[in-house]
């Protein structure tokens, strides 16, 4: 072991050497970077340091120096890929530098003693997100994120691609002074003066990730307090380190009784029972060597029965602190291997190992920079990187995508895959800066077509779930250049005329002069915001007559919501300043003063808004005893079938007056272009018709005098438009439910009969007699759904007067299989909604959060959503750009979006039900316990992949074309990240024309094509899969997987078949993520 301290290796000033606070070595081991109190970041040649005693060495010593901070620099760190260098200082700013490949074009800076630069490190980004000094930095091992911590108690996460701030976390209660990353890329740990080390779980974000996408990422996993209960608060840093095998965290500034120590925290259990004791003062920094070592030479290692070498791996850790001593420990020895005291005159501030793990750099506050070189075998014998990676595989880590390119086709495929990804990231940054123009939407007759390729959307990406475009007479037509006919169909801005009047509004001042009143610019902007927004649903198309309950913005519950003023909607409409009513005997206004005093103490007085003003509410006497049932409400006739049925649903009461607007019963989100009939008008006219046309049913208000049901008054059915009756009919029985659209109208009666009329009032069919009363009546296009009190679901095509399948019972989805073995009737989950999609598929949601759809081809219910996915999957309720903005730049022919938004609609229902009932808390605790157990390291990954497969299967069954494409691309992206070669190969074969099919001759192929005539399964022999050309889907998947080098042996042959690698024009065929 040798110590090297070159005289020139300092941050020298005029009178003294400045304190050196941090150092780090580049991934290739050729550069050493240091930061000090002089405000400079200096890059040194490590070869010059190692050969400091060699008089024949004449190479450069200092490679570059940067001074972009205005204060003391506390930390510097190279990224794992070596592309970036980051520094943090007490000016609250994080600077990111990149190396300019061109040689420096200037000599030393005029007026300084700095040597001429050998390299040029340019400032790439200045990151502003802290309110106080930045104390430490850390890069993830794949360089996907940069985390900064500081004296403002914040932990700020930055994207490693665009350097956009992804999240800011304030979990610590005091100064945060250390950060380290898990080599398996699952966690990072932060150390703080609140005497805790916090573990944060994260999923590496993609290149085009935004802060909206990471709301559920970076969650607190564990808070460790035991080893730090009485740790001193006098240390400048608490720099911790993670072992290269991922098993331990070394936390500085711990205590074991009255003695300072370094706590070794075990993975999974996260306990700190092991302590390294040997320092007289608090330890400020500890650093694991990046390599694993073996005590035995590789040639002398024993071999097991399978021919594999048996190795006992050890890790090496160095510690330093305020006692000015350096200790080096090996896990196989209970005592330190090296103890060097009085290594410097002041505290040691930072440690940095070279990538080979045999050299250690030390910085101190006396301005010294020391290099310790270990001889071969002193620490042990280095283990290969492959063995190190094998130790991390049990934690779900791996060097995916880091293979060697084997052919030129693989290189071309990788370039094609990355081009669109990079272009999208740059486009989104342009959108954030306001450079992206708003997208223009033109719609005619209810359908939509793709916008021109030059149109930009929010985030710099045109989503796959198209948000509007040009249409003529319902046909999808591309917009040609120079065609001015489309301008006639462009919808005029309703606020344009009002804004013009406001801009030219003339006011008269007190002195009689005329002035044009100023107009607030932010209120006159009619364009879309260029900021990123959630785009989970494809049904939000600028509000063109389509109702969607998709969340358009994200409500941050951590901040106050001031959407309505104090007093609610009444105050917004009438104002808060209403006069008080004159109260008899209260001429002095004592009541008003008493109420004002009560309000100032936080209470909310109850007032009555009378015609004369506000007055205190009068207390009324409570009604006691049994209350009589109003005459206009009475229970329906109970059918005898309810007494023997396994399922019993609540029957609606008979109301005196039932009114429903046209199309109001449909609750599922609808895509623009999803029409109610073959002759739909413009969406604007549909919206107008919905507000104008209504059906009302007036039941008899009194029971018949004879007491017999046949003698009662008839029920009157009236359909009117703008108050003018269109047609009228009478029914001999009371009505329970009504529904309708522009194709037909339908009502359900208390005797279990269904009556239907055309839009003009003609009886469409004889009364449909059911076994019990209808409890749910819904319509969608030409389809009519009726759910009866015994849980039977009927679906009819009211145009062809037929049914796509026999009546189906709700018993399977109501857990009847579980409760049927009990002796007594038990309460099952309630049906919260029942809807139809545009193909007549039944969609059911329950009070336990589950969502189901009926498959008429398989005659069975399929569960599409449940609470299990909400807790275990990383893709639940995600707004990741890969979900909302993933698209094929080649463009898709935008036909009707069949069932668009059904699965997100069901998942939102599951989330709301689980939050209301609190069921998700118990499952989350269970999952957290599982994640820390051995054997469950890949739990989250497996559940996330399974969730995507469940989404794809549901979208294919429902015929949701756009959703299927989005989920397919998400699935391919995840498979590439996980490196699942067998699933990737199966997916590509399935997209090519069947999964794992065997060549059984032409006859079997013809039978297969006949048996699977539809395009709703993977093994159909058609060229279409779920409404998409197979070639287009296959091309998009290959472009997503193309950048994963470990999979290129699988993807390159398919790319050659499609001609992706041989195409010259790459502008229109890139996959944008």
């Amino acid at each position: 072991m040798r110590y090297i301290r070159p005289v020139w290796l300092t941050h020298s000033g005029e009178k003294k050497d400045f304190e050196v606070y941090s150092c780090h070595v580049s991934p290739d081991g050729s550069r050493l970077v240091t930061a000090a109190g002089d405000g400079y970041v200096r890059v040194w040649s490590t070869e010059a340091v190692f050969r400091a005693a060699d008089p024949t060495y004449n190479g450069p010593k200092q490679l570059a120096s940067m001074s972009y901070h205005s204060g003391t620099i506390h930390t510097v760190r190279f990224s794992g890929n070596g592309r970036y260098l980051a520094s943090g200082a007490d000016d609250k700013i994080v600077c990111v530098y990149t190396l300019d490949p061109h040689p420096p074009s200037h000599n030393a800076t005029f007026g300084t003693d700095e040597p001429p630069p050998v390299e040029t490190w340019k400032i790439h980004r200045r990151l502003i997100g802290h309110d106080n000094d930045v104390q430490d930095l850390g890069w993830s091992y794949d360089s996907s994120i940069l985390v900064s911590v500081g004296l403002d108690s914040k932990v700020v996460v930055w994207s490693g691609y665009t350097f956009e701030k992804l999240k800011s976390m304030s979990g610590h209660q005091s100064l945060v002074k250390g950060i380290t990353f898990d080599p398996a890329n699952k966690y990072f740990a932060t150390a703080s003066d609140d005497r805790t080390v916090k573990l944060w779980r994260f999923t590496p974000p993609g290149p085009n990730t935004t802060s909206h996408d990471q709301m559920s990422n970076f969650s607190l996993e564990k808070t460790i307090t035991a080893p730090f209960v009485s740790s001193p608060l006098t240390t400048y840093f608490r720099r911790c380190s993670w072992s290269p095998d991922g098993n331990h965290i070394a936390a500085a500034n711990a205590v074991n009784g009255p003695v300072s120590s370094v706590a070794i925290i075990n993975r999974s259990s996260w306990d700190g029972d092991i302590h390294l004791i040997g320092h007289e003062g608090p330890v400020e920094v500890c650093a694991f060597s990046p390599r694993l070592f073996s005590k035995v030479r590789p040639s002398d290692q024993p071999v097991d029965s399978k021919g594999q070498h048996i190795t006992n791996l050890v890790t090496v850790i160095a510690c330093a602190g305020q006692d000015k001593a350096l200790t080096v420990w090996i896990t196989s020895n209970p005592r330190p291997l090296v103890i060097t005291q009085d290594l410097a005159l002041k505290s040691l501030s930072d440690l940095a190992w070279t990538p080979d793990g045999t050299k250690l750099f030390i910085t101190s506050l006396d301005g010294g920079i020391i290099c310790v070189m270990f001889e071969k075998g002193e620490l042990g014998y280095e283990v290969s990187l492959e063995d190190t990676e094998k130790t991390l595989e049990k934690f779900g880590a791996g060097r995916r995508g880091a293979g060697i390119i084997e052919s030129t086709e693989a290189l071309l495929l990788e370039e094609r895959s990355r081009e669109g990804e990079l272009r999208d990231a740059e486009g989104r940054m342009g959108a954030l800066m306001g450079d992206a123009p708003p997208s223009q939407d033109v719609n005619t007759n209810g359908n939509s077509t793709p916008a021109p390729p030059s149109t930009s959307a929010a985030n710099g990406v045109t989503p796959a779930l198209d948000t509007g475009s040009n249409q003529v007479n319902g046909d999808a037509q591309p917009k040609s250049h120079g065609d001015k006919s489309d301008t006639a169909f462009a919808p005029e801005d309703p606020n344009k005329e009002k804004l013009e009047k406001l801009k030219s509004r003339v006011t008269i001042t007190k002195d009689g002069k005329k002035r044009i009143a100023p107009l607030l610019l932010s209120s006159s902007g009619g364009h879309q915001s260029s900021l990123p927004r959630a785009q989970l649903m494809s049904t939000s198309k600028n509000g063109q007559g389509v109702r969607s309950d998709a969340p358009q913005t994200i409500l941050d519950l951590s901040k106050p919501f001031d959407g309505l003023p104090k007093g609610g909607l009444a105050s917004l409409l009438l104002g808060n300043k209403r006069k008080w009513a004159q109260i008899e005997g209260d001429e002095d206004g004592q009541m008003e003063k008493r109420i004002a005093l009560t309000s100032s103490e936080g209470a909310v007085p109850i007032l009555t808004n009378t015609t004369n003003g506000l007055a205190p509410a009068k207390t009324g006497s409570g009604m006691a005893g049994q209350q009589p049932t109003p005459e206009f409400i009475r229970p329906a006739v109970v059918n005898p079938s309810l007494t023997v049925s396994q399922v019993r649903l609540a029957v609606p009461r008979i109301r005196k007056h039932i009114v429903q607007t046209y199309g109001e019963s449909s609750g599922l989100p609808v895509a623009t272009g999803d029409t109610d009939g073959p002759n739909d008008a413009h969406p604007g006219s549909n919206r107008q018709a919905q507000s104008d046309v209504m059906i009302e049913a007036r039941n008899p208000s009194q029971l018949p005098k004879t007491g017999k049901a046949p003698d009662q008054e008839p029920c009157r059915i009236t359909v009117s438009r703008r108050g003018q009756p269109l047609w009228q009919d009478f029914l001999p029985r009371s009505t329970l439910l009504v529904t309708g659209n522009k194709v037909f109208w339908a009502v359900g009666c208390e005797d279990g009969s269904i009556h239907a009329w055309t839009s003009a009032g003609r009886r469409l069919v004889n009364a449909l007699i059911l076994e019990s009363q209808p409890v749910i009546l819904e319509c969608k296009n030409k389809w009519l759904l009726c759910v009866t009190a015994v849980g039977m679901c009927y679906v009819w095509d009211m145009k062809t007067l037929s049914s796509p399948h026999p009546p189906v019972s709700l018993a399977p989805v109501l857990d009847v299989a579980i409760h049927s073995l009990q002796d007594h009737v038990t309460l099952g989950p309630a049906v919260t909604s029942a809807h139809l999609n545009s193909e007549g598929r039944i969609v059911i949601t329950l009070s336990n959060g589950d969502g189901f759809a009926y498959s008429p081809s398989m005659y069975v219910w399929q569960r599409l959503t449940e609470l299990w996915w909400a807790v275990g999957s990383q893709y639940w309720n995600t707004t990741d750009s890969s979900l909302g903005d993933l698209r094929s730049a080649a463009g898709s022919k935008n036909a009707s979006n069949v069932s668009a938004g059904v699965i997100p609609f069901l998942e939102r229902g599951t989330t709301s039900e689980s939050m209301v009932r609190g069921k998700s808390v118990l499952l989350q605790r269970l999952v957290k316990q599982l994640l820390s157990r051995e054997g469950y390291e890949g739990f989250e990954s497996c559940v996330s992949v399974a969730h995507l497969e469940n989404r794809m299967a549901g979208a294919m069954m429902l015929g949701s074309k756009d959703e299927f494409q989005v989920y397919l691309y998400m699935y391919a992206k995840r498979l590439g990240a996980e490196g699942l070669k067998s699933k990737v190969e199966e997916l590509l074969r399935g997209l090519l024309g069947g999964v794992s099919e065997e060549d059984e001759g032409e006859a079997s192929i013809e039978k297969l094509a006949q048996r699977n005539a539809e395009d709703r399964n993977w093994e159909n022999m058609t060229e279409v899969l779920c409404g998409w050309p197979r070639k287009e889907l296959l091309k998009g998947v290959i472009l997503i997987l193309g950048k994963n080098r470990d999979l290129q042996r699988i993807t390159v042959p398919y790319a050659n078949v499609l001609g992706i690698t041989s195409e010259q024009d790459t502008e229109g065929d890139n996959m944008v993520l």
Side-chain angles (χ1 to χ4, degrees), residues 72-221:
T72 301
I73 304 175
H74 294 150
T75 175
V76 283
R77 294 292 182 262
F78 279 104
S79 62
N81 55 16
R83 183 179 178 183
Y84 299 109
L85 171 65
S87 63
D90 61 5
D91 58 0
K92 313 173 190 177
I93 294 175
V94 177
C95 290
V96 181
Y97 314 90
T98 56
L99 178 62
D100 190 347
H102 304 289
S105 58
H106 60 280
N107 295 324
T109 305
F110 179 77
T112 65
D113 296 332
E114 293 290 331
V118 180
E119 299 176 343
T120 303
W121 287 83
K122 300 188 302 183
I123 189 74
H124 182 67
R125 289 285 189 276
R126 294 171 63 91
L127 311 180
I128 301 174
H130 284 276
D131 301 327
N132 210 326
D133 299 6
V134 178
Q135 203 71 0
D136 204 3
L137 295 171
W139 292 86
S140 63
Y141 274 73
D142 61 353
S143 302
S144 61
I145 60 172
L146 169 67
V147 176
S148 60
V149 298
L151 303 186
D152 55 358
S153 305
K154 288 183 181 179
V155 179
V156 183
V157 184
W158 311 87
S159 169
Y161 304 98
T162 62
F163 295 100
E164 176 186 351
K165 183 166 73 173
L166 299 181
K167 198 167 186 178
S168 178
M169 298 168 288
S170 303
H172 285 286
Q173 304 302 316
S174 186
L175 319 177
V176 189
K177 296 181 176 180
I179 167 75
T180 183
F181 268 88
D182 171 21
N185 234 32
K186 302 293 182 183
Y187 303 95
F188 63 84
T190 55
S192 170
D193 271 357
D194 61 2
R195 295 188 171 99
T196 64
V197 169
K198 292 186 181 293
L199 271 298
W200 307 86
R201 170 179 285 273
F202 75 100
T203 301
N208 54 348
T209 303
T210 65
S211 57
H212 286 257
D213 310 329
Q214 302 301 309
M215 292 193 66
S216 59
N217 202 357
F218 310 108
S219 59
L220 180 62
E221 179 73 15

Side-chain angles (χ1 to χ4, degrees), residues 48 144 176 182 423 431 514 738 768 784 834 868 904 907 989 1060:
S144 61
V176 189
D182 171 21
R423 184 168 60 247
K514 294 183 179 181
V738 298
L768 307 177
L784 176 64
W868 172 253
E907 289 188 353
R989 287 207 313 267
I1060 296 178

Side-chain angles (χ1 to χ4, degrees), residues 36 207 345 460 515 522 540 584 702 765 778 815 940 1043 1048:
L345 300 177
R515 294 288 185 268
S522 60
S540 56
E584 186 177 356
Q702 298 180 353
V765 67
E778 291 280 333
D815 296 340
E940 219 170 10
K1043 60 180 176 293
Q1048 286 181 348

